[in-house]
Amino acid sequence: MYSPDGSHFAVLLDDNTINVYTTSNWERTLIPNGHSEDVTCIAYSQNGDRIVSGSEDRTIRVWDVAAGDCLYILIGHTSKVLSVAYSPHGNVVASRCGDGIVRLWDLDAGNCRYVISKCGYIEVEALSTKEDHIAFGGRDCGIRIWDVASGECRNILIGHAKAISTIEYSAQGDLLMSKDDNLAVRIWDVETGACRRILTGYGSTYIFSIAYSPQGDQIVTGGYDRAVRLWDVETGECRHTMIGYTKAVNKVLFSPKGDHIASVSGDNTVRLWNVGSGTPRKLSNHHTNNVLCIDYSPKRNQIASCSLEQTIQLWDAVTGVHSRTLTGHSKVVYIISYSPQDDQLVSCSADKTVRLWDTDSGTCLFILSGHTDTVYHAAFSPLGNQVASSSYDDTVRLWNAKTGECRHVMSGNSSKGFRSVRFSRQGDQVASRSQEGTVQLWNVETEACQHTLTGHSGGIKWIEYSPDGTQIASADDATVQLWDVKTGMCSHIFIGHKGDVARVVYSPRGDHVASFSHDDKTIRLWDTNSGECRHTFVGHTKGIHVIRYSPSG
């Protein structure tokens, strides 16, 4: 667990000791085992100078991080302690034990301020950011909000039909988000107890790809129902439904100006669509198998596509005329991407290699060898001078794009390898995702893993940096989570989809995030500041594969 400012990292070991590492030099401070039984939970204070721990011995201990000394022993629970949390101001600790009792501890006085008796079996609790109330929910389907100063119950929030599994306060403390075991999500007004919004998802199709327009005012999606759909971000209305494919749409994206959409399909074809009219142009058939990926060159009128038959095809984006076939990979090509300078194209393959191609001549400039398993993803740095690649061999490699040399090899601890990689907007950090539900943030110069982001319950399917590079979004287990890049802390959890979230994309201004799920077949548009779901887009009749924003957003 990282401290809030990222300067320390705490690890709870099997012998119930806590090791605290300074992340600048990884020096260790040992917090000895003071509990008489197993430690069940730990939490940092907001300023990171203290750690609180709870144990099966029914006690809570507060530790000084720098010295490793025990400052307080809080006694009063009659059952093992299941969770602990520091208040934002650091003078109150909330704890919950196995019999459902919640206790609020005053650290200035060193004693228990209030005991909140159980009302049904408590599953989750949250302390408001203002520290004036605490909310908890449980198996009785209700949420109770208690006043911290008086210890009285202020509101009982009724509306969920199943046990409460998640509750979370907004940053301002005026709203409360709750989710039940049916995945129904409600947003509550803390002061009045009124339910402001019910987030529900409906639909009957798989979405495979989603993308914002460059301006951020439109979204394009594609999926299993073989249709490409264009959506208005402000109204949530579907502007165009573009049909013609005979198999699923695998990927969609806007042209750099936002006036055209390119899409590829399992029927071996590539199509260009006019954004204004929705009319298509089918490109000549040069792929002989499922087309997996497509990319627009940022400055020239060129499109590249790759497929299962191991080739890369280049097209004129204006005329649609095929210009060149790039061969060299011996197995399926998964990803292609143009460099920011538009002079190179990177590709990665199941043949364990990454290749760099000259976009003018089509010549293979470098074969980047070193991975020992399938390479699933590769990406250029913002300056185009580096390439990052991720592989099933559990490594992320950084390559010099001008010489082909491998600069760094960053090894993880995922038994299932890394499925994709992203450069930060500044190019000083690389994010990788694993199938084990974690995201690693790596320092490009030192190779050090700066943060490991944990919170998803399953393998992460997508990661994306915000346009300003301060956030990263991750998607999987019915949630989208937003993380602070500097601290590694989770700032928002978007809940509303009724199944795994397959992909997430930021609007050009970063004020919205669009997501889609294969299971509930919907697209959802989230406000990155408030965390509210602004729109739920419904219309596809089968799976959605891809989604993009228009250039104007």
Side-chain angles (χ1 to χ4, degrees):
M1 173 186 290
Y2 276 96
S3 61
D5 63 358
S7 62
H8 292 85
F9 186 77
V11 181
L12 175 61
L13 303 179
D14 289 339
D15 61 1
N16 292 318
T17 60
I18 302 170
N19 283 355
V20 179
Y21 297 89
T22 303
T23 56
S24 60
N25 55 20
W26 292 102
E27 291 184 353
R28 184 184 70 165
T29 300
L30 177 65
I31 296 180
N33 179 18
H35 293 283
S36 60
E37 296 184 39
D38 287 348
V39 177
T40 56
C41 48
I42 59 174
Y44 266 102
S45 62
Q46 192 65 30
N47 60 11
D49 62 343
R50 295 181 181 182
I51 288 178
V52 61
S53 60
S55 168
E56 290 186 356
D57 67 6
R58 299 173 291 180
T59 69
I60 296 109
R61 290 175 179 256
V62 179
W63 306 87
D64 184 282
V65 170
D69 296 332
C70 181
L71 303 177
Y72 302 103
I73 302 176
L74 309 177
I75 300 174
H77 280 298
T78 57
S79 180
K80 65 180 179 181
V81 181
L82 298 179
S83 65
V84 291
Y86 253 101
S87 67
H89 295 160
N91 60 340
V92 175
V93 165
S95 61
R96 174 170 60 91
C97 69
D99 58 9
I101 298 292
V102 175
R103 288 176 177 261
L104 299 182
W105 306 87
D106 188 324
L107 295 187
D108 294 331
N111 57 26
C112 181
R113 182 187 294 179
Y114 293 113
V115 178
I116 301 176
S117 299
K118 62 182 179 181
C119 300
Y121 192 90
I122 298 174
E123 298 280 359
V124 288
E125 73 278 337
L127 189 62
S128 72
T129 51
K130 297 178 182 179
E131 301 183 15
D132 55 347
H133 43 263
I134 186 170
F136 62 87
R139 294 180 184 174
D140 64 355
C141 308
I143 302 165
R144 288 166 172 80
I145 299 179
W146 296 80
D147 188 284
V148 170
S150 66
E152 297 178 351
C153 183
R154 292 177 52 181
N155 271 316
I156 301 177
L157 312 181
I158 303 297
H160 284 286
K162 290 287 185 177
I164 310 300
S165 58
T166 303
I167 53 176
E168 182 179 344
Y169 278 95
S170 65
Q172 294 76 25
D174 57 338
L175 298 176
L176 183 75
M177 181 277 296
S178 61
K179 177 177 73 74
D180 65 25
D181 287 344
N182 269 345
L183 301 182
V185 180
R186 289 173 178 260
I187 307 295
W188 307 86
D189 186 297
V190 172
E191 186 64 30
T192 65
C195 181
R196 285 194 179 182
R197 190 182 298 269
I198 301 175
L199 309 181
T200 57
Y202 304 95
S204 59
T205 184
Y206 287 136
I207 305 169
F208 289 168
S209 185
I210 181 172
Y212 270 97
S213 65
Q215 292 80 13
D217 60 342
Q218 297 180 95
I219 289 174
V220 63
T221 61
Y224 191 67
D225 65 353
R226 300 170 290 181
V228 176
R229 284 179 166 81
L230 184 65
W231 307 85
D232 185 285
V233 169
E234 186 63 31
T235 66
E237 295 179 353
C238 182
R239 290 182 175 177
H240 295 299
T241 298
M242 295 166 275
I243 58 175
Y245 286 116
T246 59
K247 290 187 179 180
V249 180
N250 291 328
K251 188 169 184 179
V252 294
L253 77 163
F254 279 92
S255 63
K257 294 181 180 179
D259 54 347
H260 285 85
I261 294 167
S263 59
V264 297
S265 167
D267 67 5
N268 312 340
T269 64
V270 180
R271 292 174 186 260
L272 299 180
W273 309 86
N274 185 287
V275 170
S277 64
T279 55
R281 177 194 296 146
K282 180 180 176 182
L283 305 189
S284 56
N285 287 337
H286 279 76
H287 286 293
T288 60
N289 211 326
N290 190 352
V291 189
L292 300 178
C293 187
I294 189 169
D295 195 27
Y296 265 102
S297 64
K299 299 177 182 178
R300 69 182 68 204
N301 293 317
Q302 191 180 78
I303 295 173
S305 59
C306 64
S307 76
L308 288 178
E309 92 273 355
Q310 307 159 21
T311 66
I312 300 166
Q313 307 293 340
L314 301 183
W315 316 80
D316 187 292
V318 177
T319 65
V321 174
H322 178 264
S323 59
R324 189 172 282 111
T325 298
L326 310 183
T327 60
H329 285 292
S330 59
K331 292 186 179 180
V332 55
V333 182
Y334 287 109
I335 292 292
I336 49 172
S337 180
Y338 282 94
S339 67
Q341 289 74 23
D342 220 3
D343 58 340
Q344 289 183 322
L345 183 75
V346 66
S347 61
C348 64
S349 168
D351 65 9
K352 308 175 187 177
T353 69
V354 179
R355 287 177 179 250
L356 290 176
W357 309 83
D358 184 278
T359 53
D360 284 326
S361 66
T363 304
C364 181
L365 301 173
F366 303 107
I367 302 175
L368 311 182
S369 301
H371 284 294
T372 59
D373 207 332
T374 296
V375 185
Y376 274 104
H377 202 270
F380 279 100
S381 65
L383 296 179
N385 60 336
Q386 295 186 84
V387 168
S389 59
S390 59
S391 167
Y392 249 23
D393 64 7
D394 194 26
T395 66
V396 173
R397 288 176 177 258
L398 295 183
W399 311 84
N400 186 314
K402 305 307 176 185
T403 66
E405 295 178 357
C406 182
R407 292 190 56 205
H408 297 299
V409 179
M410 298 173 286
S411 298
N413 56 3
S414 168
S415 61
K416 298 182 180 180
F418 295 119
R419 292 300 299 268
S420 67
V421 64
R422 293 281 190 275
F423 269 99
S424 66
R425 306 295 175 177
Q426 293 75 26
D428 58 345
Q429 188 181 75
V430 169
S432 60
R433 69 175 175 95
S434 78
Q435 289 296 93
E436 294 182 334
T438 62
V439 177
Q440 283 74 31
L441 302 183
W442 307 86
N443 185 290
V444 169
E445 292 300 323
T446 66
E447 305 180 40
C449 182
Q450 296 174 310
H451 300 294
T452 297
L453 313 181
T454 59
H456 289 286
S457 61
I460 295 174
K461 292 181 173 60
W462 200 261
I463 52 175
E464 191 82 17
Y465 275 97
S466 62
D468 63 4
T470 61
Q471 284 184 335
I472 192 167
S474 57
D476 184 25
D477 51 3
T479 70
V480 175
Q481 302 194 24
L482 300 188
W483 308 83
D484 186 285
V485 168
K486 288 186 178 180
T487 67
M489 301 295 290
C490 182
S491 58
H492 284 298
I493 300 178
F494 301 150
I495 301 175
H497 285 292
K498 290 188 175 180
D500 287 356
V501 181
R503 193 159 299 181
V504 61
V505 59
Y506 275 93
S507 65
R509 293 184 296 273
D511 54 343
H512 295 98
V513 163
S515 62
F516 70 79
S517 168
H518 290 329
D519 296 316
D520 69 10
K521 296 98 179 176
T522 65
I523 305 135
R524 288 174 177 265
L525 187 64
W526 309 89
D527 189 300
T528 56
N529 293 315
S530 68
E532 294 184 0
C533 180
R534 289 193 54 192
H535 295 296
T536 300
F537 301 150
V538 178
H540 286 285
T541 59
K542 291 186 180 179
I544 305 174
H545 290 229
V546 286
I547 184 171
R548 297 281 184 188
Y549 259 98
S550 69
S552 62

